[in-house]
């Protein structure tokens, strides 16, 4: 007799196979916040564009020290400080046998996540921040800490209102 429960429920019960988790609702329109001070939604407006936050996808190639748990933790903390964000919690996991690290710094403004493959000298990071935080200021911190041969950064404006 199975007592399995769904790990995640989106829309309808996943046990019944009727989830809409893979379906995008193109009719969705974000609610507009009330006028005035009744609601501060932390949306950002720059150059006439309004959005929830900046999401940076960062790839570090030829990176060093991405298998050192204490160094990764200190680097995430330095990134949070450089960006002017608010750290709530850091959780990191060290894998064996390759010593890769996966983890997240949970922020009041969102998160910074890391996944590393030291055997390939590669690390993948997501830096997503809203409000007044400045996620681009994490890039020089990451370069100093991990001295990659190459850094690739892609930017996405989350929750962009067209």
């Amino acid at each position: 007799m199975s007592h399995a429960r769904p790990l995640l429920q989106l829309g309808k019960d996943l046990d019944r196979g009727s989830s809409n988790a893979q379906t995008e609702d193109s009719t969705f329109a974000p609610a507009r916040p009330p006028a005035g001070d009744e609601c501060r939604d932390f949306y950002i407006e720059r150059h006439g564009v309004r959005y929830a936050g900046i999401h940076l996808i960062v790839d570090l190639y030829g990176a060093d020290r991405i298998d050192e748990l204490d160094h990764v933790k200190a680097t995430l903390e330095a990134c949070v400080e450089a960006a002017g964000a608010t750290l709530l919690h850091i959780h990191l996991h060290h894998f064996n046998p390759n010593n890769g690290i996966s983890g997240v710094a949970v922020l009041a403004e969102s998160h910074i996540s890391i996944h590393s493959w030291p055997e390939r000298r590669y690390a993948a990071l997501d830096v997503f921040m809203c409000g007044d935080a400045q996620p681009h200021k994490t890039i020089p911190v990451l370069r100093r800490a991990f001295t990659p041969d190459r850094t690739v950064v892609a930017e996405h404006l989350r929750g962009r209102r067209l």
Side-chain angles (χ1 to χ4, degrees):
M1 179 171 177
S2 172
H3 295 288
R5 296 184 335 190
L7 294 176
L8 176 65
Q9 290 184 350
L10 296 174
K12 298 178 182 174
D13 190 342
L14 291 179
D15 278 345
R16 292 185 221 142
S18 58
S19 170
N20 61 0
Q22 297 297 316
T23 304
E24 182 178 339
D25 182 358
S26 60
T27 63
F28 175 77
R32 296 202 180 269
D37 290 335
E38 298 94 41
C39 174
R40 180 145 192 256
D41 67 3
F42 296 96
Y43 260 65
I44 301 162
E45 186 161 342
R46 291 190 186 120
H47 310 294
V49 178
R50 193 156 166 75
Y51 52 94
I54 297 170
H55 193 159
L56 302 179
I57 306 298
V58 182
D59 291 310
L60 304 178
Y61 298 92
D64 296 318
R65 303 187 71 187
I66 57 175
D67 59 344
E68 297 176 24
L69 199 62
D70 290 340
H71 183 69
V72 169
K73 182 176 189 258
T75 300
L76 293 179
E77 291 169 341
C79 284
V80 172
E81 184 175 336
T86 309
L87 180 62
L88 300 177
H89 176 76
I90 292 181
H91 179 78
L92 298 173
H93 179 80
H94 214 181
F95 290 95
N96 285 317
N98 74 344
N99 290 323
I101 295 173
S102 287
V104 64
V106 179
L107 313 174
E109 298 81 5
S110 196
H111 71 276
I112 302 171
S113 66
I114 185 168
H115 303 279
S116 72
W117 288 262
E119 71 279 10
R120 297 188 179 268
R121 296 185 62 214
Y122 171 74
L125 292 102
D126 285 2
V127 180
F128 178 33
M129 296 180 187
C130 63
D132 295 327
Q134 300 175 58
H136 292 93
K137 290 191 174 183
T138 65
I139 303 305
V141 175
L142 295 171
R143 284 184 173 137
R144 279 192 306 273
F146 300 123
T147 59
D149 296 333
R150 184 168 59 111
T151 303
V152 177
V153 178
E155 177 186 274
H156 180 69
L157 301 182
R158 303 296 305 262
R160 184 174 175 178
R161 294 184 180 173
L162 302 174

